[in-house]
Amino acid sequence: MTHILPPGVRPADARFSSGPTRKRPGWTLKALEGALLGRSHRSKPGKARLKEAIDRTRALLAVPTEHKIAIVPASDTGAVEMALWSMLGARPVDVFAWESFGEEWVTDAVEQLKLADCRIHVGRPYGMLPDLSVARETADLVFTQNGTTSGARIANFDWIPANRQGITFNDATSAVFAQPVEWSKCDVVTFSWQKVLGGEGAHGMLILSPRAVARLESYVPPRPLPKIFRMTKKGRLDQELFEGATINTPSLLAAEDYIDALKWADGIGGLGALHARANANTQVLTEWVARTPWVDFLVSDAAIRSNTSVCLKVVDQRVTSLPQTVQAEFAKNLAATLEREGVALDAASYRSAPPGLRIWCGATVERSDVQSLTPWLDWAFEDCLALLKAAG
């Protein structure tokens, strides 16, 4: 077997995971020195720190002043399900899904909530969006802005009826801070700290428009709600939840880390700079794919291609002509080779997605690291191909 020499330059940071994502450039443990360890989150300083996280989120994302923002349990999943279980059922529902987590919201709507007049629209094959034009003006709309496991995103919010009667639920966890959010079209927006800004896991963010608040205060769902889902008291919105109080105990260490990330984002130029960094990282891969015959994007349409969770597939006939099980094993070996060499950690595609690679290109990743990675991707492919030939 011919020995293939590896490239000479390695990425300075090999963390390309799609969540938790890489910490912001220059991050060290010193960033957490101000954390209120051993203090109650209900103390005046603890509550103030959580309120600071909310206020900095509002400022960075330019969230309208009339929208409410809360820190909630169980990451983005907790935030999404908190909203779905509390608000769905008042109107017909259209659920749009084009990746694994979006399909979980389909499961919630159909199998758990058993909603009447619920229409499901799933994109097939993987990497395709469903027909968004079928969204009903009368219905609540549930969707995932950026499919973390498929690498497909919505191109814009024009498909949401401006005169809609329902409310919209936008799971934006791998989109927020990297892609625009049209607040006039989004009534519920959720995300978690461990995605685009590289924060720590376990905490979700829930942003509600006045329309969403009105739904909470006018609709009582025909189902029991666990404590961590309850956002109202005596039929009115629990305002304290949106002022730094929390339903359960948050980590003030993780909160300090999130605040640090928000400060970093503000310091490099704010939301525009974050978008630009993600776009620049993705452009490196776009140019590489264009000149590389063995690989392609899982999402063929550039207009709906993610600039954060970039999903790649092997298209070389020497691999695609093999049985599906062998192709899956090849992709697994490709990711394992990159990890073994210490040049790309956690770069395998999501377990329920088509086999391939997934490279995180969010704002905390340095463009120079993506540039250094691409020769290693080519090297790893040739190395795995040589092993495949030797075994065959």
Side-chain angles (χ1 to χ4, degrees):
M1 183 176 68
T2 304
H3 180 65
I4 305 169
L5 292 177
V9 179
R10 297 171 180 269
D13 194 312
R15 289 173 291 180
F16 292 99
S17 167
S18 291
T21 61
R22 176 187 164 172
K23 310 299 288 184
R24 55 106 173 147
W27 184 92
T28 69
L29 285 171
K30 290 184 178 180
L32 307 179
E33 287 182 349
L36 296 174
L37 302 183
R39 293 299 309 272
S40 170
H41 60 293
R42 295 188 179 90
S43 68
K44 188 174 181 180
K47 189 175 178 180
R49 195 76 99 230
L50 295 171
K51 181 63 161 55
E52 180 180 352
I54 289 172
D55 291 344
R56 286 185 176 276
T57 299
R58 183 184 300 278
L60 184 58
L61 290 176
V63 178
T65 56
E66 64 270 20
H67 285 52
K68 302 290 186 179
I69 305 176
I71 299 169
V72 301
S75 193
D76 178 64
T77 299
V80 172
E81 294 194 316
M82 188 176 187
L84 298 184
W85 287 66
S86 297
M87 299 185 217
L88 289 185
R91 282 189 169 274
V93 181
D94 285 331
V95 185
F96 297 88
W98 48 88
E99 53 93 47
S100 301
F101 289 99
E103 291 181 22
E104 291 294 339
W105 315 145
V106 170
T107 299
D108 274 356
V110 175
E111 298 182 17
Q112 301 300 319
L113 298 178
K114 303 184 187 301
L115 298 170
D117 196 1
C118 179
R119 300 182 184 178
I120 303 303
H121 314 277
V122 178
R124 287 288 186 270
Y126 234 77
M128 295 287 291
L129 297 186
D131 182 3
L132 301 176
S133 69
V134 300
R136 292 175 288 174
E137 295 178 1
T138 57
D140 291 337
L141 309 179
V142 180
F143 64 96
T144 303
Q145 181 171 339
N146 182 88
T148 313
T149 67
S150 69
R153 65 174 175 177
I154 58 172
N156 53 55
F157 293 84
D158 294 347
W159 57 279
I160 297 176
N163 58 343
R164 67 189 186 281
Q165 300 170 33
I167 61 177
T168 57
F169 298 76
N170 177 8
D171 173 3
T173 194
S174 60
V176 71
F177 300 115
Q179 302 165 16
V181 175
E182 191 171 336
W183 295 106
S184 65
K185 294 289 186 75
C186 298
D187 298 306
V188 177
V189 175
T190 67
F191 65 93
S192 59
W193 293 352
Q194 76 267 22
K195 280 291 190 290
V196 179
L197 287 187
E200 294 304 303
H203 299 79
M205 299 296 287
L206 178 67
I207 304 177
L208 304 179
S209 76
R211 292 162 58 93
V213 172
R215 172 68 63 83
L216 283 169
E217 294 184 338
S218 64
Y219 173 66
V220 178
R223 65 189 73 95
L225 294 179
K227 178 183 177 181
I228 61 171
F229 284 5
R230 298 173 202 157
M231 291 179 275
T232 60
K233 288 184 176 180
K234 297 181 179 179
R236 305 294 294 177
L237 188 73
D238 183 357
Q239 296 290 345
E240 289 189 350
L241 179 60
F242 302 88
E243 295 294 330
T246 55
I247 294 175
N248 71 335
T249 305
S251 165
L252 293 179
L253 186 67
E256 196 69 29
D257 185 65
Y258 178 56
I259 291 170
D260 171 74
L262 293 167
K263 288 179 178 178
W264 166 78
D266 190 52
I268 65 169
L271 193 60
L274 295 176
H275 289 191
R277 285 176 64 92
N279 290 336
N281 290 337
T282 305
Q283 184 61 29
V284 172
L285 290 181
T286 299
E287 294 171 359
W288 170 72
V289 168
R291 64 177 185 266
T292 305
W294 66 265
V295 71
D296 202 355
F297 292 103
L298 183 60
V299 177
S300 58
D301 184 355
I304 61 168
R305 193 177 296 150
S306 174
N307 65 342
T308 56
S309 53
V310 179
C311 296
L312 304 169
K313 62 181 179 179
V314 176
V315 295
D316 191 289
Q317 189 175 4
R318 290 169 292 181
V319 177
T320 58
S321 61
L322 300 171
Q324 288 293 326
T325 55
V326 180
Q327 292 185 50
E329 188 65 23
F330 184 89
K332 182 179 178 181
N333 290 339
L334 192 60
T337 299
L338 295 167
E339 183 145 353
R340 185 182 66 246
E341 292 295 327
V343 293
L345 307 178
D346 307 318
S349 58
Y350 190 70
R351 61 181 181 269
S352 60
L357 297 174
R358 182 172 58 161
I359 310 297
W360 184 258
C361 287
T364 59
V365 172
E366 297 282 25
R367 182 172 181 268
S368 58
D369 284 336
V370 185
Q371 290 173 320
S372 298
L373 173 65
T374 55
W376 283 96
L377 295 174
D378 288 326
W379 174 83
F381 172 76
E382 293 297 337
D383 186 69
C384 290
L385 196 61
L387 291 173
L388 187 65
K389 290 179 180 178

